């Protein structure tokens, strides 16, 4: 099966649905339209018996630069049914193995979505970053719960409050990714692992995933609900507007006038 939209491309082979983010001219930044397409694809894949594993990846050298900052400035997602919130809910509830292969930058939601994945492979040049605070925002996708659970408060606070990028080896050390591979062989390796998973008995795989996630299911939903509520307020805050405008104007932000 092959399906293509402008910025999202899918292909299914041997039970593995490969979903590619393809907007390299904007470093694969995600627009509302792209979130909507991804949510539809994931929803269909969840109910499609021929899809046993989903593998998400970007372009060589870029996974995704996160949410499109122009859209955040000009058309922020304020409603519950906004495509980004639908995307996050479908991602969170996906009943089959969800895999990601990351090369280059994985910014914002590009990193937080990995906290929900089952298997994650990173290229040596992968760079992970949660720049929410520097953008005047706050954590999303339940990262305020899942990141400290993974790394402890001190390291989570450093990653979230300072928002500095970190590399593939550190991501491997903290358990965000399963393995680090040469960038060139990354996708082939991820596909190999995906095919192995697709050959496993599917009902046992789905049940085991559900059991692995069970202790956190309700907590994740509650964290996302609170984060979404706060995130929407932050999106239209003067701090965020200054940060988005500065990025788009290619200048450093100035937060000196805020208290
Ligand atoms: N939203 C909108 N446009 C983006 C974008 C984003 N999140 N990330 C990159 N772009 C655009 C740039 O504006 C630039 O567009 P232009 O060529 O029209 O000027 C183009 O993509 C290339 O980006 P550039 O910054 O020149 O690439 P780089 O290789 O130097 O850096 C990143 C790559 C991802 C590190 C950097 O672009 C970045 O930090 N992006 C913002 C990430 C972010 O804050 N995301 C939001 C998280 S909530």
């Amino acid at each position: 099966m092959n399906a293509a939209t402008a910025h999202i491309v899918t292909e299914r082979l041997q039970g593995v649905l490969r979903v590619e983010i393809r907007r390299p001219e904007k470093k694969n930044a995600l627009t509302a339209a792209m979130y909507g397409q991804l949510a539809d694809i994931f929803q269909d894949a969840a109910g499609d018996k021929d899809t046993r594993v989903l593998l998400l990846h970007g372009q060589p050298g870029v996974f995704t630069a996160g949410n499109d900052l122009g859209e955040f400035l000009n058309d922020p997602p304020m409603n519950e049914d906004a495509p980004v919130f639908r995307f996050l809910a479908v991602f969170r509830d996906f009943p089959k193995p969800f895999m990601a292969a990351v090369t280059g930058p994985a910014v914002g939601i590009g990193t937080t979505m990995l906290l929900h994945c089952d298997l994650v492979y990173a290229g040596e040049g992968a760079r992970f970053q949660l720049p929410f605070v520097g953008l005047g925002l706050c954590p999303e996708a339940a990262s305020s719960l899942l990141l400290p659970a993974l790394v402890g408060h001190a390291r989570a606070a450093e990653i979230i409050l300072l928002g500095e990028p970190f590399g593939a080896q550190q991501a491997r050390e903290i358990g965000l990714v399963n393995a680090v591979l040469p960038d060139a062989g990354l996708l082939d390796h991820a596909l190999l692992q995906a095919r192995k998973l697709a050959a496993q008995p599917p009902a046992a795989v789905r049940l085991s995933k559900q059991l692995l996630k069970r202790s956190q299911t309700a907590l994740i939903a509650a964290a996302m609900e609170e984060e979404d509520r706060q995130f929407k307020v932050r999106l239209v805050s003067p701090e965020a507007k200054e940060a988005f405008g500065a990025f788009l104007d290619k200048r450093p932000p100035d937060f000196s006038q805020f208290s």
Side-chain angles (χ1 to χ4, degrees):
M1 180 186 79
N2 275 295
T5 63
H7 295 129
I8 307 293
V9 178
T10 65
E11 179 188 40
R12 197 181 59 226
L13 209 59
Q14 299 171 351
V16 178
L17 182 67
R18 187 175 67 74
V19 181
E20 177 181 342
I21 308 170
R22 190 184 285 179
R23 195 189 177 208
E25 70 283 6
K26 292 289 180 188
K27 299 288 170 183
N28 281 357
L30 294 163
T31 61
M34 291 162 75
Y35 285 123
Q37 289 159 16
L38 287 167
D40 289 345
I41 290 166
F42 298 167
Q43 207 155 5
D44 289 350
D48 170 18
K49 67 176 178 40
D50 293 327
T51 295
R52 292 186 169 195
V53 177
L54 199 149
L55 171 64
L56 182 66
H57 65 96
Q59 301 292 291
V62 62
F63 184 58
T64 169
N67 205 103
D68 187 290
L69 289 174
E71 283 200 356
F72 263 176
L73 184 64
N74 299 316
D75 189 15
M78 300 308 284
N79 298 322
E80 273 318 302
D81 55 357
V84 63
F85 298 122
R86 200 159 66 81
F87 165 85
L88 283 173
V90 178
F91 203 105
R92 177 194 64 201
D93 299 336
F94 196 71
K96 301 174 182 178
F98 204 117
M99 297 179 53
V102 180
T103 56
V107 188
I109 202 164
T111 290
T112 57
M113 71 167 81
L114 304 178
L115 294 163
H116 297 266
C117 285
D118 301 298
L119 300 183
V120 182
Y121 295 99
E124 284 164 343
R127 306 271 292 165
F128 304 85
Q129 188 180 12
L130 301 184
F132 301 116
V133 168
L135 290 168
L137 301 171
C138 64
E140 43 81 288
S143 55
S144 63
L145 171 80
L146 294 173
L147 192 63
L150 189 66
V151 301
H153 176 77
R155 284 196 289 178
E158 191 171 43
I159 290 169
I160 286 182
L161 300 183
L162 284 179
E164 290 172 343
F166 56 94
Q169 287 304 341
Q170 191 180 336
R172 168 83 179 80
E173 279 156 26
I174 65 177
L176 184 65
V177 310
N178 293 80
V180 180
L181 296 123
D183 286 330
L186 177 72
L187 190 56
D188 283 347
H189 178 80
L191 281 166
L192 186 73
Q193 298 298 87
R195 282 195 286 271
K196 281 190 214 164
L197 257 183
Q200 293 276 67
V205 168
R206 288 194 303 274
L207 174 62
S208 300
K209 168 169 175 162
Q210 188 198 331
L211 291 170
L212 280 166
K213 299 240 174 195
R214 185 176 145 266
S215 64
Q216 287 193 306
T217 306
L219 296 172
I220 289 172
M224 268 193 191
E225 195 178 319
E226 175 61 7
E227 289 171 349
D228 289 359
R229 196 173 69 75
Q230 301 283 2
F231 200 89
K232 286 182 207 137
V233 176
R234 298 301 314 167
L235 269 174
V236 291
S237 68
E239 290 179 355
K241 286 186 177 171
E242 164 60 14
F244 303 155
F247 176 79
L248 296 170
D249 296 346
K250 301 188 190 294
R251 62 171 171 84
D254 175 7
F255 301 117
S256 60
Q257 75 272 32
F258 299 117
S259 54

